C-alpha cells in the first residue's frame, strides 16, 4: 500500500539493532537471573525456541512476497479475523517502546545524569523515536544504518577495553547445566529479544528480493546470538555469576568497571551510547510498523500522522511505566505472550495458506 | 512539519540538561576519597577528603593570599549508619557533596578488622561513585592522611595523590591494586580472598607497605611488599619485577669453590659488618680504574670471583628483590623480569579434596644493576635460569605456606578454578574450610634472554 522501499541489508541491520539494544538494556539481566550457573544454555535454548516462529515467518514471507502480514491475514482468514489476529501484534509494537524508553532512561540516569528524573529521559527518548518515525520507514532504516556505523567502532572499543578484566574461569562451567531456567519467568521474558523478525512480517511489502528473506532472518539470528554470547561472556568473566545476577542491567555495570583508561578517564559514558542509538531506532521501527498497520487498515494515504497521535497518547500514558519495576515486568510478560501468540497466529496463517492453496503461490513478478 | 521539528528541538534543549539541579562548582564539595573508620562514640565514622578546587593548579584566577582556604578539608562525622554520617556531613557543610570524582575508598585498619562489606556495598550502590575507584586500607588516622601537606610532585592534586602511585604504575608487581567492583565481586562469589593495598602516610608522603589480607570481609593480616609482589605475580601475572639472587657461575661450582664463594648466612653478615665503607670505596675505585677488566676474554671468570670475594654481602633481607648498586654488590645477580606466564592445574583428588599445581614461567634479562664489564656465555645463562628458578621457587613456597597455613586466605584465587570443576560440590561446600588442606605445588622456570647492554 505504501510505496516505501528498503533493502534486505537494511532490514537485517534493523534486526541487528534489536539485538544490540536488548543486550544492553534488559536481556542479560533476565538471562543471569534464570540460572545459578552456565547461562549460555538458556541463551541457546531461547535461540532454538525462537526458530519455530522465525521459520514460520520466513516461510510465509517467502510464500507471499510483497505482502505484509496484514495482507496475508486478510487474504487467508478474511478481513475481520485478519484484523482480529494481527491487532494484538500492533498493540505489542506500540507498548514495547514505552517500556524500552523507561529502561533506557534508567541507564542514562545511572551513568550520565544522576540528577535528572527518569520521566524526563523517557519523554526525550520517546520524542526522538517518534520524530524519526514521523519521517517514515525509509528514514528509520537510513537512520539505523548511520547509527550502526557509529556503534560498530564503539563495540570494538568496548571489546578491546574489556579484554584485560576478563577472567575466563569465572565464565565456567560450560558442560554442567542448571536446567532450572525452564521454570523461571525471566527465561521466557528473555525470549522477547529473539522476536526482532516480526518487523519483517510487517515490512515484507517494502523489501526488495523478499523471497530470500529467510537468509536474512536466520543469518541475523546467528549473528545476534554470537553478539549475545560475547556480551554474556564479558559480563560473566568480569563480574562473576553471583554478582552479575544481582543487577537488572549487568552490561551497564560491566561498562562502569572498565579500569582507568589512558585517553578518556570515563570511557564508560561514551560506550553506553552503544545501546542508545540502536534503542532509539528499534523503538522507531516498532512505532512506524504499528502506525503503518493502522494506516493500512484505515486506508489512510499517509500513516505518519498516526505517529503524532501515538506520541501524544504515549506521553500521556508514560507515568504508568515510571517505576522501573513496571517497565521490567511489562517486558517479562510481553516476551512469552508475544512469542506464544506470534507462533500461534503464524501457525494459523500457515495452515490456512496450505489449506487454501497447497501449491506454492506464484510470485507477483 | 517545521514547527513540529522546532517544538522537538526546544523540548530536547529543555530536557537534556546535564545540570538538572544547577549546582555550580563553587556550591559543590568535591570528594576525592571516602574514608571509613570506627567511631569513638558511635559505631561508624565517615571522613570525606574534600578538595578545595580554588587551591588547584588549574585555578588561574587566584585571589589574594589567605582567601583561598585550606587545600583539603577532611570533616569527620560519626553515626550508626553510613547515611546518618553523611546526613551530618550535609548539615555541617554549606555545599552539595559530590562523590563523582572519588578515586579511592580508604578504610582504617581498625574498621577493616571489623568488616568492610557494608562500606563496599553502600558505595557500590551509591549512584555517584565510580565503580572503578580503588579500595585502600591504612594504618594512619584518616584526617591526618587526607590533610597532611601532601604536595610532592602532584602539586595540590588533593586526594588524587593517594592513588597516584596506583595510577602511574599500573602493571608493576610491587603494588597491590583492587578496584571497588573487584572487591565487591570477591565478597559476593567467595572464590578467593581479598587483598588490598596497605598504606601509611608520613610527613606528607604515602608509603605502600604491602597488602592487607581479608578473610571474608574482615582483615586478618598483612603481607609485606615482597610477599605481596609474589602473590601479585602468581595471581595476576603482574610484571615487571626485579629479582636478586646469589649467582654461582658454573665453573665455580665445578671447581668445588662453592663453599668458599658463598659462606653461610651468618658468616656473610659478619663479613658485611666487618667490612668498612673505606675498604669498599677503595676496592670499587680499583675495579673502576682498571680498563683491562672491561675487555676480558670470554670464559675468564676472574673478575666475578674477585667481586664475590671482595664484597660478600649476600643475605641482606632488606635488599631482596631490589636493584643492587653494581659496584657495591656485584656478586648478586639482578634479573629484570618483564613477562610472566602462570598456569594453574587444579585437580579433584577426592570428595572436597583438591590438588593445585602452579607453574610460573618468568622471562627476563639481566638488569643494568649487574657489572657491565663481565660477559656471560650460554652456560652462564643456563646456570642463571636454573639458580634463579630455584631461588624464586623457594620464596614462592614460603609465601604460599604463609597465606595458606597461617592466614588461610585464598589470595591466589584458586577457588575461581575449583568452582567449575564440580559446581554442585562447590555450592555445597565452604571453600575456606577446604582450602587450607589443598596440596599446592609450585614450580618455576626462568628464561634469561641476555643482558641489557
Amino acid at each position: 500500500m505504501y510505496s516505501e522501499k528498503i533493502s534486505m541489508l537494511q532490514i537485517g541491520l534493523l534486526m541487528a539493532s534489536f539485538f544490540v539494544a536488548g543486550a544492553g538494556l534488559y536481556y542479560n539481566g533476565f538471562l543471569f537471573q534464570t540460572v545459578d550457573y552456565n547461562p549460555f544454555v538458556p541463551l541457546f535454548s531461547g535461540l532454538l525456541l525462537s526458530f519455530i516462529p522465525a521459520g514460520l515467518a520466513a516461510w510465509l514471507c517467502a510464500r507471499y512476497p510483497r505482502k505484509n502480514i496484514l495482507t496475508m491475514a486478510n487474504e487467508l482468514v478474511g478481513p475481520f479475523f485478519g484484523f482480529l489476529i494481527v491487532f494484538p501484534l500492533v498493540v505489542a509494537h506500540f507498548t514495547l517502546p514505552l517500556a524500552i524508553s523507561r529502561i533506557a532512561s534508567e541507564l542514562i540516569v545511572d551513568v550520565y545524569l544522576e540528577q535528572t528524573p527518569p520521566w524526563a529521559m523517557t519523554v526525550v527518548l520517546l520524542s526522538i523515536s517518534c520524530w524519526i518515525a514521523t519521517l517514515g520507514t525509509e528514514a528509520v532504516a537510513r537512520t539505523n544504518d548511520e547509527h550502526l556505523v557509529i556503534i560498530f567502532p564503539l563495540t570494538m572499543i568496548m571489546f578491546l577495553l574489556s579484554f584485560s578484566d576478563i577472567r575466563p574461569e569465572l565464565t565456567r562451567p560450560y558442560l554442567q547445566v542448571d536446567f532450572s531456567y525452564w521454570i523461571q519467568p525471566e527465561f521466557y521474558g528473555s525470549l522477547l529479544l529473539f522476536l526482532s523478525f516480526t518487523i519483517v512480517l510487517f515490512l515484507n511489502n517494502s523489501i526488495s528480493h523478499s523471497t530470500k528473506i529467510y537468509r536474512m532472518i536466520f543469518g541475523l539470528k546467528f549473528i545476534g546470538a554470537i553478539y549475545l554470547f560475547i556480551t554474556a561472556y564479558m559480563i560473566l568473566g568480569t563480574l562473576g555469576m553471583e554478582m552479575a545476577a544481582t543487577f537488572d542491567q549487568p552490561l551497564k555495570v560491566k561498562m562502569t568497571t572498565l579500569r582507568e583508561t589512558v585517553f578518556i578517564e570515563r570511557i564508560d559514558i561514551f560506550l553506553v551510547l552503544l545501546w542508545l542509538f540502536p534503542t532509539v531506532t528499534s523503538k522507531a521501527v516498532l512505532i512506524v510498523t504499528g502506525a503503518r498497520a493502522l494506516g493500512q487498515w484505515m486506508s489512510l494515504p499517509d500513516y505518519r500522522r498516526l505517529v503524532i497521535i501515538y506520541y501524544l497518547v504515549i506521553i500521556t500514558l508514560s507515568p504508568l511505566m515510571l517505576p522501573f519495576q513496571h517497565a521490567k515486568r511489562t517486558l517479562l510478560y510481553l516476551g512469552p505472550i508475544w512469542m506464544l501468540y506470534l507462533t500461534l497466529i503464524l501457525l494459523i496463517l500457515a495452515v490456512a495458506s496450505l489449506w487454501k492453496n497447497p501449491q506454492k503461490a506464484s510470485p507477483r513478478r | 512539519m517545521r514547527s513540529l521539528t522546532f517544538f522537538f528541538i526546544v523540548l530536547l534543549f529543555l530536557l537534556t540538561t546535564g545540570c538538572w539541579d544547577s549546582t555550580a562548582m563553587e556550591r559543590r564539595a568535591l570528594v576525592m576519597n571516602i574514608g571509613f573508620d570506627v567511631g569513638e562514640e558511635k559505631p561508624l565514622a565517615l571522613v570525606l577528603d574534600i578538595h578545595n578546587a580554588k587551591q588547584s593548579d588549574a585555578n588561574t584566577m587566584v585571589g589574594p593570599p589567605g582567601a583561598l582556604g585550606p587545600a583539603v578539608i577532611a570533616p569527620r562525622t560519626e553515626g550508626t549508619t553510613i547515611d546518618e554520617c553523611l546526613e551530618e556531613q550535609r548539615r555541617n557543610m554549606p555545599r552539595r557533596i559530590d562523590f563523582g570524582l572519588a578515586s579511592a575508598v580508604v578504610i582504617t585498619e581498625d574498621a577493616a578488622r571489623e568488616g568492610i562489606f557494608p562500606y563496599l556495598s553502600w558505595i557500590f550502590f551509591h549512584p555517584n561513585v565510580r565503580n572503578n575507584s580503588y579500595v585502600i586500607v591504612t594504618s594512619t588516622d584518616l584526617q591526618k592522611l587526607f590533610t597532611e601537606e601532601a604536595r610532592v610532585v602532584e602539586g595540590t592534586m588533593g586526594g588524587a595523590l593517594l592513588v597516584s602511585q596506583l595510577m602511574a604504575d599500573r602493571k608493576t608487581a610491587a603494588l597491590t591494586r583492587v578496584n571497588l567492583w573487584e572487591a565487591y565481586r570477591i565478597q559476593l562469589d567467595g572464590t578467593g580472598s581479598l587483598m588490598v593495598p596497605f598504606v601509611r602516610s608520613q610527613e606528607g608522603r604515602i608509603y605502600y607497605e604491602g597488602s592487607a589480607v581479608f578473610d571474608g570481609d574482615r582483615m586478618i593480616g598483612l603481607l609485606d611488599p615482597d610477599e605481596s609482589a609474589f602473590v601479585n605475580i602468581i595471581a595476576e601475572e603482574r610484571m615487571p619485577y626485579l629479582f636478586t639472587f646469589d649467582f654461582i657461575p658454573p665453573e665455580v661450582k665445578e671447581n668445588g669453590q662453592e663453599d668458599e664463594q658463598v659462606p653461610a648466612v651468618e658468616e656473610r653478615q659478619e663479613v658485611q659488618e666487618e667490612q668498612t665503607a673505606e675498604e669498599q670505596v677503595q676496592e670499587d675505585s680499583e675495579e673502576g680504574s682498571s680498563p683491562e677488566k672491561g675487555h676480558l676474554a670470554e670464559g675468564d671468570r676472574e673478575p666475578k670471583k674477585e667481586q664475590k670475594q671482595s664484597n660478600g654481602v649476600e643475605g641482606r633481607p632488606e635488599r631482596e628483590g631490589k636493584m643492587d648498586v653494581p659496584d657495591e654488590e656485584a656478586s648478586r645477580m639482578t634479573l629484570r623480569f618483564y613477562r610472566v606466564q602462570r598456569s594453574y592445574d587444579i585437580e579433584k583428588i577426592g570428595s572436597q579434596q583438591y590438588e593445585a599445581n602452579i607453574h610460573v614461567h618468568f622471562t627476563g634479562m639481566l638488569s643494568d644493576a649487574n657489572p657491565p664489564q663481565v660477559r656471560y656465555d650460554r652456560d652462564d645463562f643456563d646456570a642463571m635460569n636454573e639458580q634463579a628458578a630455584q631461588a624464586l621457587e623457594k620464596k614462592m613456597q614460603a609465601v604460599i605456606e604463609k597465606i595458606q597455613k597461617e592466614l588461610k586466605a585464598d589470595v591466589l584465587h584458586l577457588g575461581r578454578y575449583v568452582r567449575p570443576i564440580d559446581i554442585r560440590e562447590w555450592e555445597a561446600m565452604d571453600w575456606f574450610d577446604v582450602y587450607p588442606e589443598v596440596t599446592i605445588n609450585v614450580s618455576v622456570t626462568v628464561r634469561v634472554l641476555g643482558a641489557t647492554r
Side-chain angles (χ1 to χ4, degrees):
Chain A
M1 183 177 175
Y2 300 109
S3 61
E4 290 165 313
K5 290 276 174 286
I6 53 174
S7 69
M8 286 272 276
L9 188 63
Q10 280 180 319
I11 198 92
L13 292 175
L14 281 171
M15 284 192 274
S17 278
F18 277 83
F19 279 105
V20 177
L25 294 183
Y26 63 90
Y27 179 76
N28 287 301
F30 284 159
L31 188 69
F32 293 129
Q33 285 161 19
T34 57
V35 279
D36 287 342
Y37 52 88
N38 199 353
F40 304 114
V41 176
L43 194 161
F44 287 106
S45 302
L47 177 73
L48 290 178
L49 265 186
S50 73
F51 271 116
I52 303 167
L56 288 168
W59 183 76
L60 278 170
C61 287
R63 196 172 163 89
Y64 298 97
R66 309 276 172 208
K67 286 179 185 171
N68 64 6
I69 190 167
L70 278 72
T71 321
M72 285 180 218
N74 193 16
E75 285 181 8
L76 293 172
V77 294
F80 177 70
F81 285 107
F83 171 76
L84 214 60
I85 63 171
V86 179
F87 187 70
L89 291 182
V90 176
V91 174
H93 278 222
F94 279 146
T95 314
L96 196 54
L98 181 54
I100 291 281
S101 300
R102 175 61 189 90
I103 288 170
S105 72
E106 184 76 7
L107 185 87
I108 302 169
V109 168
D110 241 29
V111 180
Y112 304 99
L113 309 171
E114 288 118 359
Q115 302 296 315
T116 307
W119 67 261
M121 288 321 305
T122 311
V123 169
V124 170
L125 288 172
L126 279 172
S127 307
I128 301 171
S129 294
C130 287
W131 183 13
I132 301 170
T134 56
L135 302 176
T137 316
E138 289 177 353
V140 172
R142 281 199 303 274
T143 313
N144 186 60
D145 299 345
E146 288 172 24
H147 282 182
L148 286 173
V149 169
I150 298 168
I151 70 158
F152 182 71
L154 284 180
T155 310
M156 288 296 113
I157 294 172
M158 178 179 89
F159 289 168
L160 286 174
L161 288 178
S162 301
F163 193 71
S164 64
D165 283 340
I166 293 173
R167 305 275 177 270
E169 58 279 3
L170 285 173
T171 63
R172 291 179 193 135
Y174 304 129
L175 299 177
Q176 300 167 50
V177 183
D178 176 8
F179 283 112
S180 64
Y181 65 90
W182 290 108
I183 53 164
Q184 298 292 331
E186 282 84 3
F187 169 67
Y188 298 98
S190 74
L191 296 176
L192 188 63
L193 191 62
F194 296 104
L195 295 181
S196 57
F197 61 86
T198 57
I199 59 168
V200 181
L201 287 169
F202 280 85
L203 297 176
N204 199 35
N205 54 344
S206 298
I207 306 168
S208 45
H209 310 292
S210 62
T211 50
K212 304 285 186 204
I213 194 68
Y214 65 90
R215 289 185 186 171
M216 200 44 91
I217 290 179
F218 292 120
L220 253 297
K221 273 209 180 299
F222 182 67
I223 294 170
I226 291 176
Y227 183 82
L228 295 180
F229 177 83
I230 293 174
T231 49
Y233 183 86
M234 284 196 319
I235 297 166
L236 267 197
T238 314
L239 305 180
M241 191 66 202
E242 285 79 358
M243 185 168 167
T246 58
F247 299 108
D248 285 324
Q249 295 178 319
L251 198 50
K252 171 189 75 184
V253 181
K254 196 261 165 293
M255 282 299 106
T256 59
T257 61
L258 290 175
R259 283 160 202 269
E260 63 291 305
T261 44
V262 179
F263 56 101
I264 299 177
E265 182 81 0
R266 285 205 63 180
I267 190 85
D268 52 328
I269 62 171
F270 182 61
L271 287 180
V272 169
L273 284 175
L274 187 68
W275 307 301
L276 295 184
F277 288 122
T279 302
V280 164
T281 42
S282 45
K283 277 187 311 170
V285 77
L286 286 170
I287 295 166
V288 94
T289 46
R292 261 172 71 115
L294 283 186
Q296 195 174 330
W297 278 321
M298 295 158 76
S299 303
L300 292 179
D302 184 6
Y303 64 87
R304 289 182 281 184
R305 287 177 197 284
L306 291 174
V307 176
I308 298 167
I309 298 170
Y310 166 77
Y311 175 66
L312 296 174
V313 173
I314 208 74
I315 292 293
T316 319
L317 291 179
S318 63
L320 285 178
M321 295 281 180
L322 202 50
F324 180 79
Q325 292 78 4
H326 288 193
K328 194 188 158 191
R329 210 169 297 137
T330 306
L331 296 188
L332 205 59
Y333 294 134
L334 203 56
I337 294 171
W338 193 349
M339 179 121 174
L340 202 66
Y341 184 75
L342 190 67
T343 313
L344 194 70
I345 66 157
L346 288 176
L347 264 176
I348 292 170
L349 291 179
V351 169
S353 166
L354 287 173
W355 182 278
K356 280 201 162 182
N357 186 6
Q359 301 300 316
K360 190 180 185 308
S362 58
R364 262 188 194 173
R365 56 171 181 173
Chain B
M1 196 61 211
R2 197 173 282 271
S3 59
L4 195 71
T5 312
F6 180 74
F7 169 72
F8 275 132
I9 292 172
V10 170
L11 194 74
L12 286 181
F13 276 122
L14 284 176
L15 295 176
T16 53
T17 162
C19 195
W20 185 264
D21 57 353
S22 306
T23 312
M25 277 298 284
E26 60 269 25
R27 297 270 171 242
R28 286 171 192 264
L30 302 174
V31 178
M32 306 305 280
N33 296 297
I34 307 168
F36 292 107
D37 195 1
V38 179
E40 284 164 12
E41 291 168 5
K42 291 182 178 172
L44 285 176
L46 175 71
V47 184
L48 299 179
D49 176 2
I50 295 168
H51 174 51
N52 180 358
K54 283 183 181 176
Q55 283 272 15
S56 165
D57 291 344
N59 182 12
T60 52
M61 309 271 286
V62 184
L68 294 174
V72 173
I73 57 165
R76 178 186 166 105
T77 51
E78 294 194 3
T80 317
T81 61
I82 300 172
D83 284 319
E84 203 179 305
C85 300
L86 191 63
E87 275 308 297
E88 203 183 327
Q89 295 270 8
R90 288 205 180 101
R91 281 201 294 275
N92 302 342
M93 193 143 24
R95 297 280 186 275
R96 203 177 85 74
I97 298 171
D98 187 343
F99 289 102
L101 294 173
S103 52
V105 179
V106 190
I107 301 162
T108 59
E109 190 178 342
D110 293 343
R113 286 190 186 274
E114 287 190 10
I116 61 164
F117 192 68
Y119 309 128
L120 294 183
S121 81
W122 183 83
I123 301 163
F124 200 81
F125 289 98
H126 196 289
N128 237 343
V129 183
R130 294 165 52 175
N131 291 341
N132 57 3
S133 53
Y134 293 103
V135 182
I136 295 172
V137 172
T138 181
S139 56
T140 312
D141 175 67
L142 288 174
Q143 281 179 308
K144 181 171 176 277
L145 182 75
F146 295 154
T147 55
E148 224 173 11
E149 291 282 302
R151 303 178 188 189
V152 189
V153 282
E154 284 82 1
T156 53
M157 284 285 282
L161 182 69
L162 248 187
V163 293
S164 57
Q165 236 155 313
L166 296 178
M167 304 280 260
D169 204 344
R170 289 181 287 170
K171 289 181 180 170
T172 176
L175 294 179
T176 305
R177 292 148 42 97
V178 169
N179 292 109
L180 176 59
W181 62 269
E182 224 170 351
Y184 189 74
R185 194 235 309 143
I186 293 169
Q187 299 293 317
L188 273 195
D189 65 17
T191 54
S193 299
L194 188 61
M195 199 170 94
V196 171
F198 189 78
V199 303
R200 173 176 63 88
S201 159
Q202 194 180 346
E203 291 167 2
R205 287 194 60 187
I206 309 293
Y207 294 90
Y208 279 79
E209 296 202 313
S211 315
V213 177
F214 286 74
D215 169 24
D217 73 334
R218 284 163 200 266
M219 181 180 159
I220 47 166
L222 274 171
L223 291 183
D224 67 33
D226 284 345
E227 291 165 340
S228 306
F230 278 115
V231 172
N232 286 330
I233 288 170
I234 300 175
E236 306 264 318
E237 295 187 326
R238 290 270 205 81
M239 282 286 124
Y241 181 66
L242 289 171
F243 179 65
T244 307
F245 67 106
D246 302 334
F247 174 58
I248 305 154
E251 289 80 356
V252 178
K253 264 191 170 175
E254 282 163 20
N255 297 340
Q257 296 175 4
E258 190 178 347
D259 294 337
E260 275 179 47
Q261 293 295 324
V262 186
V265 175
E266 292 83 358
E267 287 176 46
R268 276 183 268 148
Q269 279 170 347
E270 281 170 21
V271 171
Q272 187 188 340
E273 283 160 14
E274 282 165 20
Q275 195 169 29
T276 61
E278 280 178 8
E279 283 168 352
Q280 183 75 50
V281 168
Q282 201 180 348
E283 280 170 16
D284 291 347
S285 63
E286 277 172 17
E287 272 182 26
S289 62
S290 60
E292 300 88 351
K293 284 180 183 171
H295 302 281
L296 286 167
E298 277 188 16
D300 191 339
R301 299 286 151 226
E302 276 184 18
K304 273 193 275 179
K305 284 178 199 167
E306 266 184 33
Q307 287 151 11
K308 276 221 171 284
Q309 285 161 351
S310 64
N311 58 44
V313 287
E314 290 92 346
R316 285 175 57 185
E318 74 276 13
R319 294 207 61 82
E320 290 288 323
K322 295 189 180 126
M323 183 183 281
D324 284 319
V325 180
D327 296 338
E328 184 193 0
E329 286 178 273
S331 65
R332 304 274 280 156
M333 184 64 70
T334 300
L335 300 177
R336 184 184 181 279
F337 295 122
Y338 59 85
R339 198 170 69 166
V340 63
Q341 290 157 293
R342 175 268 289 153
S343 63
Y344 282 168
D345 177 18
I346 299 180
E347 284 177 30
K348 188 179 172 188
I349 52 173
S351 174
Q352 302 198 358
Q353 287 178 318
Y354 295 89
E355 185 184 60
N357 294 301
I358 302 172
H359 179 72
V360 192
H361 177 72
F362 289 90
T363 313
M365 300 183 87
L366 291 185
S367 93
D368 49 10
N370 297 300
Q373 64 270 44
V374 182
R375 290 179 186 175
Y376 299 101
D377 57 21
R378 196 63 258 167
D379 291 342
D380 294 322
F381 284 122
D382 288 344
M384 265 176 226
N385 291 345
E386 197 184 312
Q387 291 174 32
Q390 280 171 1
L392 278 164
E393 205 171 289
K394 206 172 154 191
K395 280 178 180 288
M396 283 187 178
Q397 269 162 351
V399 174
I400 289 172
E401 179 82 13
K402 179 176 176 181
I403 57 177
Q404 192 194 13
K405 303 293 180 196
E406 192 183 313
L407 296 172
K408 296 184 171 58
D410 181 16
V411 285
L412 298 179
H413 299 282
L414 297 177
R416 236 165 41 200
Y417 295 79
V418 169
R419 179 179 171 271
I421 292 176
D422 183 352
I423 196 148
R424 290 283 177 209
E425 185 177 274
W426 171 268
E427 286 178 342
M429 75 185 180
D430 183 352
W431 167 238
F432 293 101
D433 289 342
V434 177
Y435 168 71
E437 306 307 321
V438 174
T439 314
I440 303 176
N441 307 312
V442 64
S443 62
V444 179
T445 48
V446 171
R447 187 162 174 237
V448 181
L449 292 176
T452 52
R453 57 171 103 170

